[in-house]
Amino acid sequence: MDVSVGPQILEHISKSVQITSYDVKWIPSSARFVVMGAFARATGCLQVYELDGVDLKLNKEVETKASIKCGTFGASGLAERHLATGNFEGYLQMYDLERFDTPVMDVKAHTSIVNAIDGCGGAHKGYGAPELVTAGRDGCVRVWDVRQKDAPVASFEPAEGVAGRDCWSVAFGNSFNDDERCVLAGYDNGDVKLFDLRTGTVRCETNVGNGVCGVEFDRKNIAMNKFVVTCLESQFSVYDARTQNPNIGFASVTEKIPVGATVWGAKHLPQNREVSMVLGGDGTLMLYKYRYPDQRVVKDADGRDAGVAGTMELLNKRNVSTQPISSWDWSPDKEGLAVCGSFDQQIRVVIVTRLNKV
């Protein structure tokens, strides 16, 4: 696509902060967002910012005992809007935004850092029970029902006697009714595993050759359509999840980004699942669009269905920082509005234009 007529990536607001930010999340149905991270003294920090014209206003700040690595609103309804977080001491905590002083949920989820978290099943987010999934440095992936706070409802752990690989990323998907739900997990050795929560089994397993920094389905609350896996060594892969072949699994396409840097994540636009923002380790934002093939299913040599992967098209890119873009969150309410955090201690509000024309 000609970048002069395509979507433009505009930096609307840039604000310097005194913390290292690890994650950012929009508060649903509001012009506010939460920044999660750590102070230099190794304590955690939660900050709530509000858009105020061309500036950001700090509404609330709280210091926690341990640095906060990740967070999500995915398992909470619009009425509560509880923020679930994972910290460096392995605790899963859930906060009421109006009362930060005491978590409404506080459980030891992992023996070490909670690297990633995702939520599903909140009243405004689709089907099934409100659940959280956490990924830990101990190699475990655990699923928690927020109504049953004492123990996980499912746990996928390394085999006994086998050293666990660091699980870096995790995501829910395939939650298209009250029974079906899958969890996608990525590990530091390049393993990608798809767990089926209904049957409690590993549905698919592959290795992408590099540490997996991020995984995400294009939609959580539909039958699996596609998912993205982002890696070290400046590459990411998109898998067509509609058709699983017994021999080759899911069809995929691997894309090399135009900059030589780690791909920290890929975040799908809530209003258009084919558009995603890819986050570069050199501070570059890259907007991609997935294009489907003419035929998504073909027959293999044995006459069984096999998927066909599409292609990724780079719509535009822009360098906004000298440090990695560690987090990104699209506004669920306003198309093209997003917030991102980077390791240069800046929080940026970004606007992506002309998304309705791609």
Side-chain angles (χ1 to χ4, degrees):
M1 174 178 276
D2 183 359
V3 297
S4 63
V5 298
Q8 301 296 309
I9 302 170
L10 308 175
E11 190 176 323
H12 177 51
I13 303 171
S14 180
K15 188 173 183 68
S16 177
V17 293
Q18 300 301 310
I19 64 170
T20 300
S21 65
Y22 291 114
D23 205 358
V24 290
K25 285 289 182 290
W26 285 100
I27 300 172
S29 298
S30 77
R32 299 180 297 157
F33 59 85
V34 182
V35 179
M36 292 151 273
F39 287 109
R41 52 185 173 271
T43 57
C45 182
L46 285 169
Q47 295 178 332
V48 178
Y49 286 94
E50 183 176 9
L51 293 181
D52 184 20
V54 292
D55 196 12
L56 290 175
K57 184 169 70 175
L58 179 61
N59 274 359
K60 195 173 293 188
E61 180 180 83
V62 65
E63 186 172 0
T64 60
K65 180 186 172 188
S67 303
I68 297 174
K69 184 69 168 65
C70 50
T72 180
F73 286 99
S76 179
L78 275 175
E80 306 91 27
R81 294 191 288 194
H82 288 167
L83 173 70
T85 64
N87 70 21
F88 275 52
E89 292 185 350
Y91 281 88
L92 167 63
Q93 297 172 312
M94 186 174 273
Y95 291 91
D96 184 335
L97 293 182
E98 305 305 320
R99 295 179 66 249
F100 268 149
D101 50 345
T102 307
V104 295
M105 177 179 180
D106 192 354
V107 62
K108 181 74 169 175
H110 296 272
T111 58
S112 186
I113 297 176
V114 180
N115 285 321
I117 189 171
D118 196 18
C120 195
H124 65 298
K125 300 262 179 166
Y127 302 94
E131 290 180 332
L132 297 164
V133 60
T134 55
R137 179 177 281 182
D138 54 10
C140 300
V141 174
R142 295 195 170 112
V143 181
W144 309 81
D145 190 319
V146 299
R147 302 164 302 181
Q148 175 190 319
K149 301 180 172 69
D150 52 345
V153 293
S155 185
F156 302 96
E157 303 180 5
E160 198 168 329
V162 177
R165 302 303 308 216
D166 198 342
C167 187
W168 282 354
S169 50
V170 73
F172 274 121
N174 202 43
S175 182
F176 62 93
N177 62 30
D178 288 340
D179 300 317
E180 295 286 343
R181 189 169 287 175
C182 288
V183 167
L184 188 64
Y187 297 80
D188 67 342
N189 63 340
D191 281 347
V192 178
K193 298 181 182 181
L194 181 64
F195 302 106
D196 190 319
L197 296 184
R198 184 174 61 83
T199 60
T201 58
V202 179
R203 184 165 174 174
C204 178
E205 189 173 358
T206 187
N207 189 286
V208 292
N210 281 301
V212 179
C213 301
V215 294
E216 188 176 85
F217 285 93
D218 59 355
R219 287 287 183 274
K220 295 178 188 178
N221 55 356
I222 61 171
M224 284 192 299
N225 181 55
K226 64 179 186 296
F227 59 86
V228 64
V229 176
T230 66
C231 311
L232 305 174
E233 304 291 340
S234 50
Q235 72 176 40
F236 67 95
S237 300
V238 180
Y239 290 78
D240 186 304
R242 280 289 163 93
T243 308
Q244 185 176 2
N245 184 275
N247 296 325
I248 62 173
F250 296 116
S252 68
V253 57
T254 299
E255 185 82 9
K256 200 89 169 169
I257 64 172
V259 294
T262 295
V263 186
W264 279 72
K267 304 296 181 180
H268 292 89
L269 181 68
Q271 295 83 7
N272 183 350
R273 69 186 184 192
E274 319 312 343
V275 176
S276 55
M277 186 65 78
V278 175
L279 316 178
D282 68 338
T284 301
L285 298 171
M286 291 154 282
L287 188 70
Y288 278 88
K289 181 174 183 180
Y290 183 81
R291 298 205 177 275
Y292 291 100
D294 294 334
Q295 195 174 357
R296 287 188 72 176
V297 181
V298 295
K299 296 292 185 183
D300 66 5
D302 300 323
R304 291 177 290 203
D305 286 346
V308 179
T311 57
M312 294 297 288
E313 178 188 1
L314 179 63
L315 301 179
N316 212 334
K317 64 185 176 75
R318 177 168 180 175
N319 186 280
V320 297
S321 174
T322 57
Q323 299 294 319
I325 306 295
S326 57
S327 55
W328 173 281
D329 194 36
W330 292 104
S331 168
D333 309 302
K334 192 75 173 174
E335 185 179 45
L337 181 64
V339 61
C340 66
S342 58
F343 289 149
D344 60 357
Q345 293 192 310
Q346 295 279 335
I347 300 298
R348 294 174 174 86
V349 176
V350 177
I351 296 173
V352 183
T353 65
R354 303 176 188 163
L355 286 171
N356 59 332
K357 299 188 186 307
V358 299

